[in-house]
């Protein structure tokens, strides 16, 4: 990413959406299933077709079920299998997340998932917005070697979490990418960037987002 530029990631759940995001000029695609449920692991067929059709980096979303992010050994086994499939398909990265019942990063589970994913890049999804202490959780993710964390700053919408996002950017000091997500649109992305200082944004409604951020660069 050039100095001063804004990195855009698009969350998509279909091959059509992935192709449209690629044409829009996004920097990376997060490939998901069932976005209306908060995102689930995409099908193996969708994963393979997207990776065959698109040259932009694709990070595969890994989530075995809806509900909370506290996983038992069966859930973990499913995620490990899905990560293996993503790696075999040639994905450059995966996005996952696991928490303990008391709202901390599940270090043991994440260590297992990260080990299975390497050498792929590993990101942590918006389970981060459910942790009890985001500052401590961020240090845990950095220690684990996570490359990027998707967050709204703990708010329903990223714009509402802008003050907290700014604190996370300051704390990260370039050690991990703070990827802002949650209701980001071409109409509010400039305000979000100004208020939060984030340089990485994530959205489902990506049409026009590139044009909007180019005016800031």
């Amino acid at each position: 990413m050039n100095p001063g530029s804004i990195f855009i990631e698009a969350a998509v759940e279909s091959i059509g959406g992935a192709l449209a995001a690629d044409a829009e000029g996004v920097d990376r695609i997060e490939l998901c299933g069932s976005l209306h449920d908060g995102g689930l692991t995409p099908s193996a067929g969708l994963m393979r077709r997207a990776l065959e059709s698109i040259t932009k980096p694709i990070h595969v979303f890994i989530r075995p079920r809806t509900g909370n992010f506290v996983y038992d050994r069966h859930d973990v086994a499913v995620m490990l299998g899905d990560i293996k499939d993503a790696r075999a398909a040639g994905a450059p990265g995966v996005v996952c997340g696991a928490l303990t019942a008391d709202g901390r990063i599940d270090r043991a589970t994440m260590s297992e998932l990260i080990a299975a994913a390497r050498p792929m890049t590993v990101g942590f999804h918006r389970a981060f917005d459910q942790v009890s202490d985001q500052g401590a959780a961020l240090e845990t993710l950095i220690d684990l070697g996570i490359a990027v964390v998707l967050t709204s700053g703990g708010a329903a919408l990223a714009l509402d979490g802008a003050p907290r996002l700014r604190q996370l950017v300051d704390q990260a000091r370039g050690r991990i990418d703070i990827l802002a997500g949650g209701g980001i649109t071409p109409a509010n992305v400039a305000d979000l960037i100004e208020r939060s200082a984030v340089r990485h944004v994530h959205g489902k409604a990506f049409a026009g987002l590139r044009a909007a951020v180019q005016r800031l660069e």
Side-chain angles (χ1 to χ4, degrees), residues 99-171:
L99 304 179
T100 62
D102 60 351
R104 293 177 291 113
I105 304 295
D106 185 338
R107 181 183 283 270
T109 295
M110 287 306 302
S111 295
E112 190 173 3
L113 298 176
I114 291 165
R118 296 303 189 205
M120 292 187 291
T121 299
V122 181
F124 196 92
H125 56 50
R126 281 189 66 189
F128 186 80
D129 289 321
Q130 297 185 19
V131 300
S132 55
D133 184 335
Q134 287 196 333
L138 190 68
E139 293 301 325
T140 298
L141 296 183
I142 292 168
D143 187 54
L144 286 168
I146 296 291
V148 55
V149 56
L150 174 63
T151 175
S152 62
L157 301 174
L159 198 59
D160 294 333
R164 182 65 187 139
L165 285 168
R166 180 177 283 274
Q167 292 175 350
L168 292 169
V169 170
D170 290 343
Q171 180 183 344

Side-chain angles (χ1 to χ4, degrees), residues 26-70:
V26 302
D27 299 291
R28 185 173 65 222
I29 290 169
E30 182 188 71
L31 189 65
C32 309
S34 194
L35 281 172
H36 68 278
D37 289 321
L40 294 171
T41 305
S43 73
L46 173 57
M47 190 190 316
R48 286 193 298 268
R49 187 59 181 169
L51 288 162
E52 291 167 357
S53 305
I54 293 167
T55 57
K56 295 287 175 57
I58 295 175
H59 285 187
V60 177
F61 193 84
I62 304 294
R63 186 183 177 199
R65 57 166 173 77
T66 58
N68 63 31
F69 301 101
V70 180

Side-chain angles (χ1 to χ4, degrees), residues 64-65 70-81 106 109 112-113:
R65 57 166 173 77
V70 180
Y71 297 121
D72 63 21
R73 63 186 180 88
H74 301 291
D75 294 321
V76 174
V78 171
M79 288 191 284
L80 290 171
D106 185 338
T109 295
E112 190 173 3
L113 298 176

